[in-house]
Amino acid sequence: MKAYAMVLEEYNKPLVKREFDVVDPPRGEMLVKILAAGVCGSDVHMWKGNDPRLNLPMILGHEGVGQVVELSEPWVDVNGEAIKEGDVVIWDRGVTCGKCYYCAVKREPALCENRWTYGISTTCKEMPYLRGCYSQYVYLAPGTKVIKIKDKVDPAVLVSASCSGATTAHAFDMLSPDIGDSVLVQGPGPIGLFAVAFAKARGARKVIVIGGTKERLDMCRVFGADVVLDRYSTTQEERRQLILDITSGRGVDVAVEAVGHPLAVQEGIKLVRNGGTYLSVGFGDPNGTVTIDCYYDIVRKNLRYQGVWVSDTKHLNMAVNMVLSNIEKFELLVTDRYDLEDANKALSAMENRETIKSVLIP
Ligand code: ZN
Ligand code: ZN
């Protein structure tokens, strides 16, 4: 059997359609047919050569939902359920070792020294080649944590749980708002939308979103945002005043940065109350530095600035359940579907912010 995949051979050049041999899954592995592959904002950064983790040529795509085609040996999912051929599955995009200091001692597998990620740190130079989701098939290696999906759900709707959903879940797992808290979300993309959903689910009273795209801000309202602020029709000072008015002059209890730009950090930390928390989720790749007034913005405020790097299986499970409990809302998030062959169009649309979430359907 042959299968094709969209291969990143050279940075800033279109992905190339390449054919691969589909062999019986190597020992301990599972062959999965991709039903939906999410186009993540960080795929654009990888395509541009801004992600230091890559090893070319490679098959992009770290968000996938698929159907099991063949198992080399018995597998169980994280719920202890046997996985059979034909099952629909989603998997933790990162594979961790369980033995290093971060896995075993500090219990922070997202920081595993040996973590590798489908569609990011994998190359298609080596057997069994298919390790990214911009492909008709993917091989899941031993140690991959899998969740079997028994609910009836469109794979395209579920797929964003694997990266943006899981990473946002990680942020809320690190530091959740208290019931009644005010939460600011900067950036209404997929991470921002998940942040609105998690903030509301965790009992936030007022959720405020700052963004620059009307369609995205409208969608934040559907996801439960109480106030949306368009950064093109408001000034930074107006936004600050409005947020102070809403929060009795204090600033928000928790802010979630889902932009990945230094200017957002500069604005956001000033909008957090004394003793509040700033969760920085948006920097998926290096994107410049920021000047912070340590006295006024951090120390004097007892501010907690928490970085959030990727996610682990707990967070994937949180995100999957968030989507499955809110399928109608997350259906809206999938604004564009492309054939796998049109992956280059999908990447361009993502780069130009013409889409909220694009999904490739092989
Ligand atoms: Zn480890
Ligand atoms: Zn991603």
Side-chain angles (χ1 to χ4, degrees):
M1 188 164 69
K2 298 265 188 200
Y4 80 88
M6 300 302 287
V7 178
L8 177 60
E9 295 186 342
E10 243 183 297
Y11 297 121
N12 289 305
K13 295 273 166 63
L15 305 183
V16 185
K17 184 178 173 179
R18 291 272 180 245
E19 215 173 48
F20 294 88
D21 286 323
V22 180
V23 295
D24 291 338
R27 203 184 151 158
E29 304 228 359
M30 185 193 311
L31 177 64
V32 172
K33 180 183 180 199
I34 298 284
L35 300 175
V39 179
C40 180
S42 49
D43 289 341
V44 175
H45 301 303
M46 290 177 219
W47 178 40
K48 300 270 158 202
N50 296 335
D51 191 312
R53 293 171 289 173
L54 268 51
N55 181 7
L56 303 191
M58 53 95 63
I59 301 167
L60 276 178
H62 52 278
E63 300 185 350
V65 172
Q67 187 170 31
V68 177
V69 176
E70 201 180 335
L71 299 147
S72 65
E73 44 191 75
W75 275 64
V76 286
D77 82 345
V78 298
N79 294 308
E81 298 219 15
I83 295 175
K84 296 183 295 294
E85 286 160 15
D87 283 344
V88 173
V89 290
I90 190 168
W91 52 93
D92 190 336
R93 68 200 187 286
V95 181
T96 53
C97 73
K99 294 173 188 161
C100 72
Y101 181 74
Y102 295 102
C103 284
V105 179
K106 290 300 172 189
R107 307 275 164 140
E108 285 204 59
L111 298 176
C112 171
E113 289 166 334
N114 304 304
R115 185 178 187 273
W116 62 270
T117 313
Y118 290 92
I120 298 180
S121 47
T122 51
T123 172
C124 58
K125 271 187 296 198
E126 292 156 10
M127 271 278 283
Y129 316 118
L130 306 175
R131 292 281 197 219
C133 301
Y134 287 16
S135 170
Q136 290 180 298
Y137 294 90
V138 67
Y139 289 92
L140 299 186
T144 304
K145 273 82 81 187
V146 175
I147 302 175
K148 178 159 141 176
I149 304 297
K150 292 188 285 186
D151 301 57
K152 207 170 153 19
V153 59
D154 177 354
V157 174
L158 185 62
V159 82
S160 57
S162 50
C163 178
S164 35
T167 305
T168 315
H170 187 188
F172 282 82
D173 185 39
M174 279 175 153
L175 236 156
S176 180
D178 285 333
I179 291 171
D181 270 0
S182 53
V183 176
L184 167 68
V185 176
Q186 296 177 279
I191 290 176
L193 285 160
F194 269 101
V196 172
F198 276 111
K200 279 291 172 183
R202 288 282 171 97
R205 172 92 170 82
K206 279 266 183 282
V207 176
I208 305 148
V209 182
I210 300 176
T213 316
K214 188 181 177 302
E215 296 74 31
R216 292 182 174 204
L217 288 171
D218 290 345
M219 200 166 295
C220 286
R221 281 198 183 278
V222 177
F223 274 66
D226 302 282
V227 178
V228 298
L229 299 172
D230 187 327
R231 63 187 167 86
Y232 294 115
S233 61
T234 56
T235 65
Q236 193 169 325
E237 183 48 33
E238 285 168 343
R239 294 193 289 275
R240 195 182 77 89
Q241 202 49 57
L242 223 137
I243 287 168
L244 289 177
D245 289 347
I246 295 171
T247 57
S248 308
R250 289 188 295 263
V252 295
D253 299 295
V254 177
V256 181
E257 173 275 308
V259 179
H261 196 283
L263 289 177
V265 176
Q266 225 151 20
E267 176 175 5
I269 56 170
K270 289 186 187 298
L271 300 174
V272 179
R273 69 161 167 84
N274 288 357
T277 302
Y278 193 74
L279 294 164
S280 196
V281 190
F283 287 83
D285 64 325
N287 201 18
T289 55
V290 56
T291 304
I292 292 175
D293 186 323
C294 289
Y295 177 79
Y296 286 110
D297 293 334
I298 306 236
V299 176
R300 175 64 188 80
K301 288 171 76 164
N302 259 6
L303 181 94
R304 268 179 300 260
Y305 189 115
Q306 178 66 59
V308 182
W309 178 244
V310 300
S311 58
D312 64 52
T313 312
K314 176 183 184 182
H315 312 126
L316 172 66
N317 194 51
M318 287 168 71
V320 165
N321 285 298
M322 173 58 80
V323 173
L324 294 179
S325 309
N326 297 279
I327 290 178
E328 304 81 45
K329 284 181 194 161
F330 282 91
E331 269 168 358
L332 302 173
L333 193 144
V334 183
T335 45
D336 299 273
R337 292 166 196 252
Y338 294 87
D339 288 340
L340 174 59
E341 290 182 55
D342 292 329
N344 289 303
K345 279 188 208 160
L347 283 173
S348 300
M350 181 60 98
E351 187 186 15
N352 301 325
R353 293 173 183 266
E354 292 158 2
T355 171
I356 298 179
K357 184 77 200 175
S358 292
V359 177
L360 305 176
I361 312 289

